[in-house]
Amino acid sequence: MKIRPVILCGGSGTRLWKNSKNNQAKQFIDFGNWTLLGKTLERVKSSIYDAPIISTNIKYLKQVKQHLNKHKIRKFKIILEPAKRNTAPAILSAALIKDIPNEQPLVFLASDHLIEKIGSFNKAIKKNQNKLTQNNIFIFGIKPTIPSSEYGYFLTKNNKVSRFVEKPKIAKAKKIIDKKGYWNSGMFYLRKDSIINNFRRCQPNIYRNCNQAVIKAKHKSNVYYLNKQAFTKATAKSFDYAILEKTKEINAIKLDIPWSDLGSWKEICKMYGKNKRQYFKKNNIFHRPWGSYINLFKGKKFLIKELHVNPKGILSLQKHHHRAEHWLVTHGKPKITLNKKCFIMKPNEHIFIPSKSIHRIQNPEKRPVKIIEAQLGSVLKESDIVRYQDIYGRIK
């Protein structure tokens, strides 16, 4: 039996666009002629998979269909949630549709994760298929590359999950990694009957209401419109809290592959820094008295640059009315001014520069400084610079 991929595609992107009412959902953002949902759809074209199921909401139906068409996926099912109830009701409702057999292996994938070494990922899924039972759950752990407070972790004993740790502080994350802890990727692998049995036992309210939402759903052209009255009665909980923390049969699939949920502008800056050759164009280099910058990619309401600050180079003390900025240092040790504070940054450190804050980059070192900059806002032009001090005489 082939594995049925279920793609969870209901996220709204609030982590990236905290102060914006018109959020771009992360899975649909064009990062340079590709989206995270597009990469997820390409990933499930492997021969080990059956036709995908996409769990989303009515707001995203058009974009989901456009992606399916663009990536030439003809066989699919779409489950539309009438309201946000978190991942537990979404996962259960997708599994309960009639044309999924009880012993069907299901792999639940986020629509907004960037995964490399797909062969290794699919091999791990296939290898563990025969270990699936009517009660157990497999979760995917990623070997950490650095201590991070942006991800949850889990610890194991003989490949059984012994403990979950929710987004710890850096010091605690280091201790977890020393104990061979893994990042919790938020991807799950289990059979349909295991989902039903675990929800019946641990979350009877969610099971009862989601079951009614599916039974009373309207079905039109591969799209299931879940019943709103029943679905909204289901308790809003994440799958982790609803099931994983209440069941004992959790197994770990440990992966040592490049992975990111691109859940922050720091991670997005890292991604562009790593792949900057793909975005490099000679006519996008701009020289300034302090060094130069390269426009790597201009997206919807964001612009990615790489700044090169020469030794002893000093940018003007400035602010912006219409944009905020994220800086990720990749080379050197710049001196940063942010309002009344001055401090030195090191490679792999990140800082957020809010709109209207007064800021500056200086390079006191003898080697160049390189910074990946993400500009966010309604005006992403050089005209949105108010200079207070400038050693190159550029204050008008």
Side-chain angles (χ1 to χ4, degrees):
M1 188 182 287
K2 287 191 173 186
I3 298 145
R4 199 80 187 259
V6 182
I7 300 170
L8 302 175
C9 191
S12 59
T14 51
R15 285 169 68 193
L16 296 180
W17 313 97
K18 291 178 182 176
N19 299 318
S20 173
K21 292 179 181 178
N22 300 314
N23 298 325
Q24 280 189 82
K26 186 179 23 149
Q27 61 270 26
F28 303 121
I29 293 175
D30 181 354
F31 287 110
N33 296 318
W34 62 270
T35 66
L36 289 168
L37 175 58
K39 285 193 176 287
T40 306
L41 291 172
E42 287 297 318
R43 206 157 62 236
V44 300
K45 284 184 176 180
S46 165
S47 60
I48 69 169
Y49 295 117
D50 207 336
I53 297 167
I54 295 94
S55 173
T56 188
N57 58 63
I58 190 75
K59 184 166 69 171
Y60 300 144
L61 179 59
K62 184 178 178 181
Q63 287 170 287
V64 167
K65 284 186 171 180
Q66 286 172 343
H67 274 74
L68 289 164
N69 186 53
K70 181 180 178 180
H71 294 275
K72 298 178 180 176
I73 294 176
R74 308 291 178 229
K75 289 186 176 181
F76 58 86
K77 301 282 184 190
I78 297 174
I79 316 292
L80 288 184
E81 303 167 46
K84 281 185 174 294
R85 308 307 288 162
N86 215 319
T87 53
I91 284 170
L92 176 61
S93 299
L96 285 173
I97 62 174
K98 282 184 180 179
D99 58 346
I100 299 178
N102 261 359
E103 295 184 3
Q104 173 76 56
L106 299 166
V107 60
F108 289 86
L109 306 170
S111 62
D112 57 359
H113 287 186
L114 190 61
I115 300 175
E116 297 178 42
K117 295 188 179 177
I118 306 305
S120 299
F121 180 76
N122 289 340
K123 189 177 178 181
I125 290 175
K126 193 65 183 170
K127 180 183 174 183
N128 287 283
Q129 184 172 350
N130 292 333
K131 298 176 186 176
L132 299 177
T133 70
Q134 62 184 4
N135 290 305
N136 69 5
I137 299 169
F138 282 77
I139 66 172
F140 296 86
I142 308 295
K143 188 176 181 179
T145 52
I146 56 168
S148 173
S149 58
E150 294 181 18
Y151 304 127
Y153 293 74
F154 63 76
L155 295 164
T156 59
K157 192 173 182 179
N158 299 323
N159 278 346
K160 293 267 186 182
V161 176
S162 57
R163 183 183 164 207
F164 289 98
V165 182
E166 183 64 30
K167 294 184 180 178
K169 291 183 178 177
I170 295 294
K172 191 174 181 181
K174 288 178 181 176
K175 291 178 181 177
I176 295 165
I177 292 171
D178 288 342
K179 294 178 182 176
K180 310 296 183 190
Y182 274 67
W183 285 335
N184 182 1
S185 71
M187 297 182 287
F188 318 106
Y189 186 31
L190 65 169
R191 286 184 355 194
K192 175 175 179 171
D193 50 3
S194 175
I195 294 178
I196 291 171
N197 292 337
N198 276 289
F199 271 95
R200 277 177 169 166
R201 183 174 65 253
C202 302
Q203 300 294 337
N205 168 280
I206 296 177
Y207 177 78
R208 183 174 61 253
N209 289 300
C210 287
N211 194 36
Q212 285 299 306
V214 173
I215 289 169
K216 295 176 181 178
K218 292 180 180 178
H219 183 216
K220 181 183 177 184
S221 302
N222 291 348
V223 180
Y224 286 81
Y225 296 79
L226 296 176
N227 179 268
K228 185 174 183 178
Q229 189 176 6
F231 190 77
T232 51
K233 288 179 182 176
T235 308
K237 283 186 181 178
S238 71
F239 186 72
D240 293 57
Y241 286 119
I243 301 299
L244 295 185
E245 293 192 1
K246 290 181 168 57
T247 190
K248 292 180 180 178
E249 289 194 59
I250 305 174
N251 304 281
I253 297 175
K254 298 176 180 178
L255 299 168
D256 186 4
I257 60 174
W259 169 89
S260 173
D261 70 350
L262 293 189
S264 67
W265 286 101
K266 178 181 179 180
E267 288 300 311
I268 291 170
C269 286
K270 275 187 185 178
M271 180 272 293
Y272 278 107
K274 183 180 176 183
N275 300 295
K276 63 185 179 183
R277 286 185 181 180
Q278 296 175 26
Y279 297 93
F280 178 83
K281 291 178 183 175
K282 278 188 176 180
N283 58 355
N284 283 350
I285 301 175
F286 298 87
H287 295 279
R288 293 292 180 263
W290 47 262
S292 63
Y293 68 86
I294 306 164
N295 284 344
L296 294 175
F297 181 70
K298 190 176 191 309
K300 187 179 178 183
K301 292 188 178 180
F302 72 95
L303 173 64
I304 307 295
K305 294 182 173 184
E306 184 177 54
L307 311 180
H308 292 231
V309 186
N310 294 333
K312 309 303 178 184
I314 304 175
L315 279 73
S316 56
L317 187 68
Q318 60 184 256
K319 75 175 181 183
H320 313 291
H321 286 293
H322 304 289
R323 73 174 186 246
E325 296 174 346
H326 289 265
W327 296 343
L328 176 70
V329 178
T330 56
H331 294 278
K333 294 180 180 179
K335 181 181 178 182
I336 304 299
T337 300
L338 180 57
N339 294 319
K340 294 182 180 180
K341 293 181 180 178
C342 288
F343 46 90
I344 300 294
M345 289 183 68
K346 298 174 184 176
N348 203 42
E349 290 185 343
H350 159 269
I351 188 170
F352 174 58
I353 309 295
S355 173
K356 298 182 176 65
S357 61
I358 296 171
H359 57 276
R360 172 154 62 189
I361 301 169
Q362 296 174 251
N363 182 6
E365 302 287 313
K366 293 181 180 179
R367 59 177 185 152
V369 158
K370 292 183 183 180
I371 293 173
I372 298 291
E373 176 182 88
Q375 299 181 356
L376 317 177
S378 56
V379 179
L380 304 174
K381 296 179 181 178
E382 292 292 285
S383 57
D384 184 25
I385 297 177
V386 179
R387 291 187 172 94
Y388 292 92
Q389 296 175 15
D390 185 73
I391 65 169
Y392 309 108
R394 293 177 296 169
I395 297 176
K396 294 177 182 178

